[in-house]
């Protein structure tokens, strides 16, 4: 005589696995649901691993593209909020009092160890001056602008300093400071604002915030110091900084500027000039902890 399921259940208590098996044998929709759920979980796990792996790869091997995209969205004249959306919170904030634009705040960002961004803001949190300095020879963001006569492209750690001297000779300026190993050391070419640049000023050059990349050095590093010292004596500036027209550059000045690639680019909002910076254009190495930057010494080598 064959026992029924009810009689089996009375004679023997089924295990959890046996009960689950009987349930699934009688309910095909449940089986399908379990199968689909397992497949979805597996696919989701794979996608999560793929995204995590892609993020890791981008952070370590293809990080430049993401940073270039961030910088392409920023310009002087935007709000500080726009900068923090792309770069995060500033690493350093310093008040600057009594400039031609009133009281300002210097906001210095370090989104990655390879570069610095500086944003000078007014009392309305508008960025009136903006700069980028690359400390890695493989980080080469490009910046396009109109210098009054032609379109220009500056590519950090690639573009030679001398090739970017302002084409408008009467307007182009060179600003330099070589104040010793513990002070700011920089050389900037400046295209001052006028109607042809839509009221914006532009600058590019080298600063000891980051290493200088030699393109073809033919002079010892001391040549830079000697050249600035002679200009200071000639111009009788009474300090460590000089400002002269591009037309006043002698052959040695142009030669040493042809040996290195620019590591810094800067621009201002309309109707603002670089005099809003009390010391040097862009991030000031003296405001950055030595353990974070490479100060006290970056500069020409050879």
């Amino acid at each position: 005589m064959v026992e029924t399921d009810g009689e089996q259940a009375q004679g023997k208590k089924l295990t959890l696995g046996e009960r689950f098996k009987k349930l699934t044998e009688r309910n095909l929709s449940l089986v399908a649901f379990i199968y689909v759920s397992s497949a979805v979980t597996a696919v989701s796990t794979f996608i999560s691993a793929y995204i995590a792996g892609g993020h890791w790869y981008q952070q370590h091997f293809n990080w430049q593209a993401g940073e270039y995209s961030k910088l392409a969205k920023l310009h002087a004249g935007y709000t500080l909020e726009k900068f923090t959306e792309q770069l995060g919170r500033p690493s350093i904030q310093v008040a600057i009092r009594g400039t031609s634009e009133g009281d300002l705040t210097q906001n210095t960002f370090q989104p990655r160890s390879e570069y610095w961004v500086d944003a000078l803001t007014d009392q309305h949190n508008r960025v009136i001056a903006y700069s980028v300095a690359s400390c890695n020879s493989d980080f080469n963001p490009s910046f396009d602008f109109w210098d009054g006569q032609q379109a220009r492209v500056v590519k950090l750690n690639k573009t030679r300093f001398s090739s970017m001297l302002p084409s408008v000779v009467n307007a182009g300026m060179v600003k330099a400071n070589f104040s010793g190993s513990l002070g700011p050391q920089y050389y900037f070419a400046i295209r001052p604002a006028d109607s042809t640049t839509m009221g914006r000023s532009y600058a590019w050059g080298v600063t000891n915030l980051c290493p200088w990349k030699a393109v073809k050095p033919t002079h010892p590093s001391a040549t830079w110091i000697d050249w600035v010292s002679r200009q200071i004596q000639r111009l009788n500036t009474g300090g460590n900084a000089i400002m002269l027209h591009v037309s006043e550059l002698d052959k040695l000045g142009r030669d040493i500027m042809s040996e290195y690639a620019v590591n810094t680019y800067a621009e201002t909002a309309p109707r603002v000039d670089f005099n809003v910076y009390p010391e040097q254009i862009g991030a000031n190495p003296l405001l950055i902890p030595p353990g974070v930057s490479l100060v006290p010494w970056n500069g020409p080598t050879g």
Side-chain angles (χ1 to χ4, degrees), residues 11-28:
K12 177 183 177 183
K13 187 175 182 180
L14 298 179
T15 65
L16 180 62
E18 289 172 333
R19 281 184 285 173
F20 179 78
K21 180 180 178 183
K22 286 184 174 294
L23 178 62
T24 55
E25 286 174 347
R26 296 173 182 177
N27 194 332
L28 294 179

Side-chain angles (χ1 to χ4, degrees), residues 37-105:
S37 297
S38 299
V40 169
T41 300
V43 171
S44 177
T45 301
F46 173 79
I47 292 175
S48 298
Y50 178 82
I51 292 174
H55 181 72
W56 180 88
Y57 178 83
Q58 183 175 6
Q59 286 292 310
H60 292 83
F61 295 100
N62 193 33
W63 57 270
Q64 292 95 330
E67 303 306 309
Y68 296 160
S69 177
K70 293 177 185 178
L71 295 176
K73 298 173 184 175
L74 302 175
H75 284 287
Y78 291 178
T79 64
L80 182 62
E81 182 182 7
K82 181 70 172 179
F83 278 70
T84 57
E85 285 176 2
Q86 299 298 321
L87 307 173
R89 295 180 61 83
S91 302
I92 301 168
Q93 289 185 300
V94 177
I96 299 176
R97 306 294 183 187
T99 75
S100 58
E101 299 294 324
D103 293 341
L104 306 174
T105 301

Side-chain angles (χ1 to χ4, degrees), residues 201-228:
S201 298
Y202 299 95
W204 51 92
V206 286
T207 166
N208 66 325
L209 176 67
C210 296
W212 297 18
K213 181 179 179 181
V215 179
K216 188 180 179 181
T218 57
H219 295 83
S221 59
T223 304
W224 289 83
I225 304 173
D226 294 340
W227 181 79
V228 174

Side-chain angles (χ1 to χ4, degrees), residues 129-151:
Y130 156 60
S131 72
V132 179
S134 172
C135 299
N136 186 302
S137 60
D138 293 327
F139 186 60
N140 316 118
S142 295
F143 304 91
D144 305 339
F145 66 96
W146 176 257
D147 77 348
Q149 285 190 335
Q150 61 180 305

Side-chain angles (χ1 to χ4, degrees), residues 98-104 122-123 126 128 270-273 276:
T99 75
S100 58
E101 299 294 324
D103 293 341
L104 306 174
D122 62 15
Q123 296 177 5
R126 183 178 72 114
I128 63 172
R271 298 178 298 280
V272 177
D273 61 50
V276 291

